[in-house]
Amino acid sequence: MKFFNSIFSIVILVVVISASSQAQSINLPKESKFKFGDNPEWANPAFNDNDWGNQQLAKSFRKDSSYAWYRIKIVIPSAMKTATGKGIKLYLGKIDDVDQTYFNGKLIGETGSFPPQYVTQWEKQRIYTIPEKEVQWDKENVIAVRIYNLVGGMGMWEGPYSFEPLGWLDEVSVKQDFIETPNNGFTTKIVFTNKIDNAFSGTVKYWIADKAGKKILFSETKSVQLHAKSGSEVAVVFSGYQSASENVFNVGYQINDNSSSLFLKKEQLYIATGNLKIPFSDEVKPLVKDKIPNNFNAVAFQKQQFAGYLNTRFTQNLEQRLLKVDEFGLMGSYMNRPGIHPWAGEHAGKYLETATNVWKLTHNAALKKQMDRMMYELISTQKEDGYLGTYTPDQYWTSWDVWSHKYNLHGLLAYYSATGYKPALESCKKMGDLLCRTFGKSKGQKDIILAGEHIGMAATSVLDAMVELYKYTADKKYLDFCYYILDAWEQENGPKVISSILATGKVKKVGNGKAYEMLSNYVGLVKLYQLTGDTKFLQAVEMAWQDVVATQLYITGTSSSHEHFQDDDYLPATNTDNMGEGCVTTTWIQLNQNLFALTGDIKYLNQLERSVYNHLLAAENPQTGCVSYYTPLMNKKPYTCFITCCQSSVPRGIALVPNFTFGSINNIPTVLFYEPAVYKEKVLTSDKKNMDVAFKLEGNFPESGNLVLSVTGLKPASFTVALRVPEWCTNYTAKAGDKIYKGTSNQFIQITKEWKPGEKVMISFDMPVTTIAGGKSYPNQFAFQRGPQILALDGSLNSAMVNDLIANSKEAASIGNLRLANESKLLPTNWIGKQAYSIDLLNKKEKIILVPFAEASQTDGDMRVWLPVQIKK
């Protein structure tokens, strides 16, 4: 649903309809017979599968390089027979990785390719047609699904799972538009488009009810006639409606076919926001202080103004991603439950947290209006008992339901803390109260481990949000709930988030090794440590961090392949390795951000810088705002613009960056990132007075290491300023007045003096190119690094000879001089970024053109980080 030009467009997808609103659709059983192995006899409907195990649908499990079969038994009522014998449509959702599907022993469809020509199609919806002649009406029929998985998750992992008769719904597309009118009113238009050359004739009954759907406020019925021509279109427009007192309505319609019994019924919430104006006050501070205070405190977002390389990417994140976000893609699953997929509920909260951080930095008026609307819509869909997920009551607290509540807590708490809007906090308290009532060890309560995927780690990651809720409310039951989660971790069926890492030191041994969910739990645990001071919590987090850095981290600052931690130092990086999930990158940044704020230790900042300048920015196309779910180091980046978990997470990660570019370590203002920017900070002078000081950093980093820092207070004053000396630089000097300070890599320089208003520090450092060996995964190959940036060969900028030499030559290309030549003149006019470099190939009249990995493939070029080259010295 896009809110641009005040028109809300809703495309009615058959998959959604069949799962939620079409009366003639029947759901498949929730469980199926299941067996690992491969035998063609298992497709036979007469095969005896009594000794097989059971497997729940919409569940993923891990088993590498394996075959398996599902056998699902259904009864298809003869009432589904159609006059034209078109057949039955079967929805099998998404299957990881490849499937062949049989109905009563006959192959009816396959998606992907089995070995030896293996091609994964793990994200594609399976929709197959069952011929009516194959159906045993009103008797048992057998659906047999043969699957294969190469590595990582496996199974029929996401629905919908249902069947329905083929009919006019497959021949006519239906699109609904809401159009805002003055005085908080709206009209509804339904557009019918013919997909084939058959005529359609029917009626549309339309109604508007109160939020609960119990009281009809308005209704109207109209006829529809669609000509027998593909592409023909007709619009049915209903009378306008407005209410002086209500903003939330249940709007529905039913389309009846005059020639059959098939119909379409659709209901959803409509929230009138045309008159919505939400004021904001100063930022709200938590009521509960941490027992362990921060050693680093960032400058408030409102007191930062960026002007350089990162500012370009921040602007693109705002203008190309947030302001163009598909609002119905975020909110539709709340307006019309159940959601379009099991984790559809996470996107609204992620958006709100992201938008709030970006708005604090920019105070962009259009963004404020958008996020106000989204926040109001979200809390308006909350149930009376506090439920704010996208499931129907029969599916509450399964799969990703707690997970979605976690992100709604994050988003609404972020909004509340920035604006002071109390209904957002009240919504969070209602969610928190519901979680406390639902889960626990008392009679009648549920086990949270059973309420989420990946041995419960998805559900228990709500720890992070519940710590924050406790801090903003001081309600002890939320803190008690946090300790319940820790107990649940160590249950027999739990993931052992603390005990496993303390016993083994290996993240792969924690739970099922799922990276995103595990890191999310550790983010919550470090916050709980800071709140309580329990050192065991910090010890577990630090051990996990050490193992990731030592054995699981890519050179671009991300982790995971096929979404799991792998064997030590196994870091495959092609586009079939599903490496560098955007959600993992962002959560790794969150973990390091919290550890750096807690300790002020430069090792955490080094990881933040590595991730930001490489994998985080690489995951969002700077031209389009589209996001790469997995961002490989080799091949093209697979950017897409539709909403997935990573499409919501990557912009969130970018919006977090101002948390660690500049701030005070132990009350000393410290330059951390060398981005052109202005920071306004209160500084403690040597005579123990607080003074407002502006720090202006000028230059064109990361192109150059020559910068000027201006320090401007209201009057001369004595205090200390610190400068971080990056681990990748050489020849670092800072000149303040007549004194020159020489820096040591990976340390801080402290300059204590009397600062006159506008006094400048001249900063200079070199960024020599270095090589990184490819290790176990890429032996005899090398990557190039300049400053914090990993470089990549982008095929669109290199000659055909160089591309062929790198991709196909049996001999490694030879490189002698590692000095880079500036080749920015080669960049296309639409290229976002100003950096391009060349390295000469020995004995070849050619040169390799390299660009920052964060910018490579933005024009769909094939790219490589690991290069088969020899370094001649």
Side-chain angles (χ1 to χ4, degrees), residues 431-463:
M431 279 188 281
D433 292 349
L434 179 61
L435 289 169
C436 291
R437 292 195 307 269
T438 302
F439 298 103
K441 296 184 176 181
S442 298
K443 185 177 179 180
Q445 289 186 303
K446 297 179 181 292
D447 180 356
I448 196 169
I449 299 299
L450 301 178
E453 303 290 342
H454 304 295
I455 316 183
M457 288 193 297
T460 61
S461 68
V462 76
L463 171 66

Coordinates of all heavy atoms in Angstrom, one line a residue, residues 431-463:
M431 N 1.8 -5.0 25.3 CA 2.5 -6.2 24.7 C 3.4 -6.9 25.8 O 3.3 -8.1 25.9 CB 3.5 -5.8 23.6 CG 2.8 -5.6 22.3 SD 4.0 -5.3 20.9 CE 4.4 -3.6 21.2
G432 N 4.1 -6.1 26.6 CA 4.9 -6.7 27.7 C 4.1 -7.5 28.7 O 4.4 -8.6 29.1
D433 N 2.9 -6.9 29.0 CA 2.0 -7.6 30.0 C 1.5 -8.9 29.4 O 1.4 -9.9 30.1 CB 0.8 -6.7 30.3 CG 1.3 -5.4 31.1 OD1 2.4 -5.4 31.6 OD2 0.4 -4.5 31.3
L434 N 1.2 -8.9 28.1 CA 0.7 -10.1 27.5 C 1.8 -11.2 27.5 O 1.5 -12.3 27.8 CB 0.2 -9.8 26.1 CG -0.3 -11.0 25.3 CD1 -1.5 -11.6 26.0 CD2 -0.7 -10.5 23.9
L435 N 3.0 -10.8 27.1 CA 4.1 -11.8 27.1 C 4.3 -12.4 28.5 O 4.5 -13.6 28.7 CB 5.4 -11.1 26.6 CG 5.4 -10.8 25.1 CD1 6.6 -9.9 24.8 CD2 5.5 -12.0 24.3
C436 N 4.2 -11.5 29.6 CA 4.4 -12.0 30.9 C 3.3 -12.9 31.4 O 3.5 -13.9 32.1 CB 4.5 -10.8 31.9 SG 6.0 -9.8 31.7
R437 N 2.1 -12.7 30.9 CA 1.0 -13.6 31.2 C 1.0 -14.9 30.5 O 0.7 -15.9 31.0 CB -0.4 -12.9 30.9 CG -0.8 -11.7 31.8 CD -2.2 -11.3 31.6 NE -2.7 -11.2 30.2 CZ -2.6 -10.0 29.6 NH1 -2.2 -8.9 30.2 NH2 -3.1 -9.9 28.3
T438 N 1.5 -14.8 29.2 CA 1.5 -16.0 28.4 C 2.6 -17.0 28.7 O 2.3 -18.2 28.6 CB 1.6 -15.5 26.9 OG1 0.5 -14.6 26.6 CG2 1.5 -16.7 25.9
F439 N 3.8 -16.5 28.9 CA 5.0 -17.4 29.0 C 5.5 -17.4 30.5 O 5.5 -16.4 31.2 CB 6.1 -16.9 28.1 CG 5.7 -17.0 26.7 CD1 5.3 -15.8 26.0 CD2 5.6 -18.2 26.0 CE1 5.0 -15.9 24.6 CE2 5.2 -18.3 24.6 CZ 4.9 -17.1 24.0
G440 N 5.9 -18.6 30.9 CA 6.5 -18.7 32.2 C 6.4 -20.2 32.7 O 6.1 -21.1 31.9
K441 N 6.6 -20.4 34.0 CA 6.6 -21.7 34.5 C 5.4 -22.0 35.4 O 5.3 -23.1 36.0 CB 7.9 -21.9 35.4 CG 9.1 -21.8 34.5 CD 10.4 -22.1 35.3 CE 11.6 -22.1 34.5 NZ 12.8 -22.4 35.2
S442 N 4.5 -21.1 35.5 CA 3.3 -21.3 36.3 C 2.2 -22.1 35.5 O 2.3 -22.2 34.2 CB 2.6 -20.0 36.7 OG 3.5 -19.2 37.5
K443 N 1.3 -22.6 36.2 CA 0.3 -23.5 35.6 C -0.5 -22.7 34.5 O -0.9 -21.5 34.7 CB -0.7 -24.0 36.6 CG -1.8 -25.0 36.1 CD -2.7 -25.5 37.2 CE -3.7 -26.5 36.6 NZ -4.6 -27.0 37.7
G444 N -0.6 -23.3 33.3 CA -1.4 -22.6 32.3 C -0.5 -21.8 31.4 O -1.0 -21.3 30.3
Q445 N 0.7 -21.5 31.7 CA 1.6 -20.7 30.9 C 2.3 -21.6 29.9 O 2.6 -22.7 30.1 CB 2.6 -19.9 31.8 CG 1.9 -18.8 32.6 CD 3.0 -18.0 33.3 OE1 3.8 -18.5 34.1 NE2 3.0 -16.7 33.1
K446 N 2.8 -20.9 28.8 CA 3.5 -21.6 27.7 C 5.0 -21.6 27.9 O 5.5 -20.7 28.6 CB 3.1 -21.0 26.4 CG 1.6 -21.0 26.0 CD 1.4 -20.4 24.6 CE -0.1 -20.4 24.2 NZ -0.5 -21.8 23.9
D447 N 5.6 -22.5 27.3 CA 7.1 -22.6 27.2 C 7.6 -21.7 26.1 O 7.3 -22.0 24.9 CB 7.6 -24.0 27.1 CG 9.1 -24.2 27.0 OD1 9.8 -23.2 27.1 OD2 9.5 -25.3 27.0
I448 N 8.4 -20.7 26.3 CA 8.8 -19.8 25.2 C 9.7 -20.5 24.3 O 9.8 -20.1 23.1 CB 9.4 -18.5 25.8 CG1 9.5 -17.4 24.7 CG2 10.8 -18.8 26.4 CD1 9.9 -16.0 25.3
I449 N 10.4 -21.5 24.7 CA 11.3 -22.2 23.8 C 10.5 -22.9 22.6 O 10.9 -23.0 21.5 CB 12.1 -23.3 24.5 CG1 13.0 -22.7 25.6 CG2 12.9 -24.1 23.5 CD1 14.0 -21.7 25.0
L450 N 9.3 -23.3 22.9 CA 8.4 -23.9 22.0 C 7.7 -22.9 21.1 O 6.9 -23.3 20.2 CB 7.4 -24.9 22.6 CG 8.0 -26.0 23.5 CD1 6.9 -26.8 24.2 CD2 8.9 -26.9 22.7
A451 N 7.8 -21.6 21.4 CA 7.1 -20.6 20.7 C 7.8 -19.9 19.6 O 7.4 -19.0 19.0 CB 6.6 -19.5 21.7
G452 N 9.0 -20.5 19.3 CA 9.8 -19.8 18.2 C 10.8 -20.8 17.5 O 11.0 -21.9 18.0
E453 N 11.3 -20.4 16.4 CA 12.1 -21.2 15.6 C 13.5 -21.2 16.2 O 13.9 -20.5 17.0 CB 12.2 -20.7 14.2 CG 10.9 -20.5 13.5 CD 10.2 -21.9 13.1 OE1 11.0 -22.9 13.1 OE2 9.0 -21.9 12.9
H454 N 14.3 -22.2 15.7 CA 15.8 -22.3 16.0 C 16.0 -22.5 17.5 O 16.7 -21.8 18.1 CB 16.5 -21.1 15.4 CG 16.3 -20.9 14.0 ND1 16.7 -21.8 13.0 CD2 15.6 -19.9 13.3 CE1 16.4 -21.4 11.8 NE2 15.7 -20.2 12.0
I455 N 15.4 -23.6 17.9 CA 15.5 -24.1 19.3 C 15.1 -22.9 20.2 O 15.7 -22.7 21.3 CB 16.9 -24.6 19.6 CG1 17.4 -25.5 18.5 CG2 16.9 -25.4 20.9 CD1 18.7 -26.2 18.7
G456 N 14.2 -22.2 19.8 CA 13.6 -21.1 20.7 C 14.4 -19.8 20.6 O 13.9 -18.8 21.2
M457 N 15.5 -19.7 19.9 CA 16.3 -18.5 19.9 C 15.6 -17.3 19.3 O 15.9 -16.2 19.6 CB 17.7 -18.7 19.2 CG 18.6 -19.6 20.0 SD 20.3 -19.6 19.4 CE 20.1 -20.3 17.8
A458 N 14.7 -17.6 18.3 CA 13.9 -16.5 17.7 C 13.0 -15.8 18.8 O 13.0 -14.6 19.0 CB 13.1 -17.0 16.6
A459 N 12.3 -16.7 19.6 CA 11.4 -16.1 20.6 C 12.2 -15.5 21.7 O 11.8 -14.4 22.2 CB 10.5 -17.2 21.1
T460 N 13.2 -16.1 22.2 CA 13.9 -15.6 23.4 C 14.7 -14.4 23.1 O 15.2 -13.7 24.0 CB 14.9 -16.7 24.0 OG1 15.9 -17.1 23.0 CG2 14.1 -17.9 24.4
S461 N 14.9 -14.0 21.8 CA 15.6 -12.8 21.5 C 14.8 -11.6 21.9 O 15.3 -10.4 21.9 CB 16.0 -12.7 20.0 OG 14.8 -12.6 19.2
V462 N 13.6 -11.7 22.4 CA 12.8 -10.6 22.9 C 13.4 -10.1 24.2 O 13.0 -9.1 24.7 CB 11.3 -11.1 23.1 CG1 11.2 -12.0 24.4 CG2 10.4 -9.9 23.2
L463 N 14.4 -10.8 24.7 CA 15.1 -10.4 25.9 C 15.6 -8.9 25.7 O 15.4 -8.1 26.7 CB 16.3 -11.3 26.1 CG 17.4 -10.8 27.2 CD1 16.7 -10.8 28.6 CD2 18.6 -11.7 27.1

